[in-house]
Amino acid sequence: MIENDFPDIEKILRKMTNRKEKNMARLIDGKKISQQIKDELKEKVAAMKSEGKEIGMAVIQVGNDPASSVYVGNKKKACEYIGIRSESYELPEETTQEELITLIGKLNDDDRIHGILVQLPVPKHIDEDTVIKAISPRKDVDGFHPQSVGALSIGQKGFVSCTPAGIIQLLKRSNVDIEGRECVVIGRSNIVGKPMALLLLRENGTVTVTHSKTRDLKEVCRRADILVVAVGRPKMIDASYVKEGAVVIDVGIHRDENNRLCGDVDFESVEQVASAITPVPGGVGPMTIAMLMNNCVEAALL
Ligand code: NDP
């Protein structure tokens, strides 16, 4: 699902001013925060350039899945905005795993490339895990390499998956305290739920991870001061899952029955009980690319 060119964000932002009077949840504005991060990075990159350091990112797409093409396009646009040189590799669907791994190997050895991104999913005849492992951990700007994941789990330095890293930035830059708070994450995927839980733990939250086998999900969720929803089911989480005053982060992106973007959270219901909430679109979505850019700048500083 793609989160851009969506006019409703302006409407949502206009509504923000009236929300306090109506006792509705404060909106956590991911569009604004991601722009701040990109502007900070732009300055950093300009300073690095003036010292003769140019940053390069390789973006590889295999096949021409339309959603992937839009994502790749957005990533290239963000590189351009920040001042990162992006090298694009648009490979045909029938590219073999060996050919892809050979290209990654060359890019691993190329000093002008600091970040390597393979747009997922790759075609079925290519093994995703093998591809991820082929990327040098020093250039693993998506944070998916087992070494990056392992480093996160034992509290060592390494690249962190962009969506959960973006959520931590959203919370911090919106002055939401994590330390000592009850944090519940719905979902345990490798790219969102698990790294999210580890990051909240790193920030000294008290963390519970839930999934499809969790008993009495509602009761567990109602304990949360911070509820991160990455369940992958449109509007599943309504007010009955949310404690009065909780902060709710909605990771989901879907289209509803009217073809409008929506999240995993039933926004209209939850905004009545939460103290703060991320909208969809304009919440978590824009943060993912901002954090990818951040990882690429970090990679160039290694
Ligand atoms: P996955 O489908 O990989 O994981 C979903 C998780 O939710 C699983 O752990 C699953 O449990 C759990 N789950 C499913 N149904 C239930 C249920 N009824 N009760 C409790 N838990 C349940 O999704 P992702 O983590 O990849 O993505 C989650 C959402 O976030 C999606 O909507 C996706 O589109 C969106 N997304 C948005 C991004 C962004 O940039 N905004 C980036 C990445 C994802 P189990 O493990 O037991 O199967």
Side-chain angles (χ1 to χ4, degrees):
M1 198 60 60
I2 297 151
E3 191 190 313
N4 61 349
D5 300 332
F6 194 77
D8 279 14
I9 182 65
E10 300 305 331
K11 231 194 286 172
I12 291 170
L13 293 177
R14 264 203 308 278
K15 278 189 200 163
M16 277 172 85
T17 38
N18 299 327
R19 306 181 62 82
K20 215 171 174 185
E21 291 145 35
K22 291 184 185 160
N23 216 11
M24 284 148 108
R26 170 167 68 101
L27 285 182
I28 297 179
D29 186 352
K31 207 176 170 198
K32 188 167 135 202
I33 296 172
S34 67
Q35 189 59 47
Q36 279 167 3
I37 293 173
K38 284 192 281 185
D39 287 338
E40 289 163 15
L41 291 171
K42 193 175 181 172
E43 260 181 49
K44 215 171 181 176
V45 170
M48 287 165 81
K49 259 189 196 158
S50 69
E51 286 165 15
K53 174 108 189 164
E54 194 174 4
I55 307 178
M57 169 134 97
V59 183
I60 306 172
Q61 182 182 357
V62 188
N64 47 13
D65 171 61
S68 291
S69 301
V70 176
Y71 282 125
V72 163
N74 288 343
K75 287 166 188 175
K76 285 196 277 194
K77 257 190 247 164
C79 282
E80 206 176 302
Y81 180 78
I82 288 162
I84 295 173
R85 187 180 59 84
S86 72
E87 262 179 31
S88 201
Y89 296 87
E90 284 152 29
L91 308 179
E93 180 85 22
E94 53 285 359
T95 302
T96 64
Q97 181 166 307
E98 206 186 335
E99 286 166 334
L100 179 57
I101 303 286
T102 304
L103 171 61
I104 293 172
K106 277 189 192 141
L107 295 167
N108 281 340
D109 294 337
D110 185 342
D111 291 341
R112 295 170 320 129
I113 292 294
H114 301 92
I116 302 173
L117 184 144
V118 179
Q119 184 63 42
L120 301 177
V122 282
K124 286 198 174 59
H125 64 275
I126 298 177
D127 179 51
E128 203 168 281
D129 288 343
T130 307
V131 171
I132 290 170
K133 274 193 228 150
I135 298 171
S136 161
R138 292 173 66 85
K139 301 190 178 188
D140 172 38
V141 284
D142 259 334
F144 295 161
H145 192 286
Q147 191 171 311
S148 308
V149 177
L152 174 63
S153 70
I154 57 172
Q156 290 183 358
K157 271 184 95 112
F159 293 111
V160 176
S161 176
C162 300
T163 301
I167 292 171
I168 294 293
Q169 284 300 314
L170 274 183
L171 292 170
K172 287 189 170 174
R173 290 174 185 245
S174 308
N175 300 315
V176 175
D177 285 335
I178 303 171
E179 185 162 316
R181 313 285 295 279
E182 288 282 346
C183 306
V184 174
V185 180
I186 314 182
R188 57 175 166 181
S189 69
N190 289 340
I191 61 164
V192 187
K194 280 184 199 146
M196 186 73 251
L198 289 166
L199 285 175
L200 290 164
L201 191 60
R202 189 162 89 179
E203 298 296 329
N204 296 320
T206 302
V207 184
T208 306
V209 184
T210 66
H211 45 78
S212 65
K213 304 290 183 288
T214 298
R215 285 195 201 147
D216 210 347
L217 182 67
K218 267 189 195 177
E219 198 182 299
V220 178
C221 291
R222 278 201 297 257
R223 294 206 299 257
D225 299 312
I226 299 171
L227 180 63
V228 180
V229 187
V231 70
R233 292 172 187 260
K235 299 189 190 180
M236 176 178 144
I237 302 304
D238 63 18
S240 65
Y241 289 79
V242 179
K243 180 171 79 174
E244 184 89 36
V247 173
V248 178
I249 305 293
D250 187 355
V251 187
I253 311 177
H254 314 274
R255 290 217 177 253
D256 69 10
E257 56 287 358
N258 303 314
N259 203 31
R260 289 161 63 98
L261 286 178
C262 70
D264 290 345
V265 171
D266 181 356
F267 185 87
E268 278 73 27
S269 157
V270 172
E271 68 173 342
Q272 311 291 335
V273 292
S275 63
I277 185 168
T278 55
V280 177
V284 172
M287 296 300 292
T288 302
I289 289 189
M291 297 317 290
L292 176 69
M293 297 297 116
N294 182 64
N295 281 351
C296 198
V297 173
E298 293 292 316
L301 291 169
L302 285 178

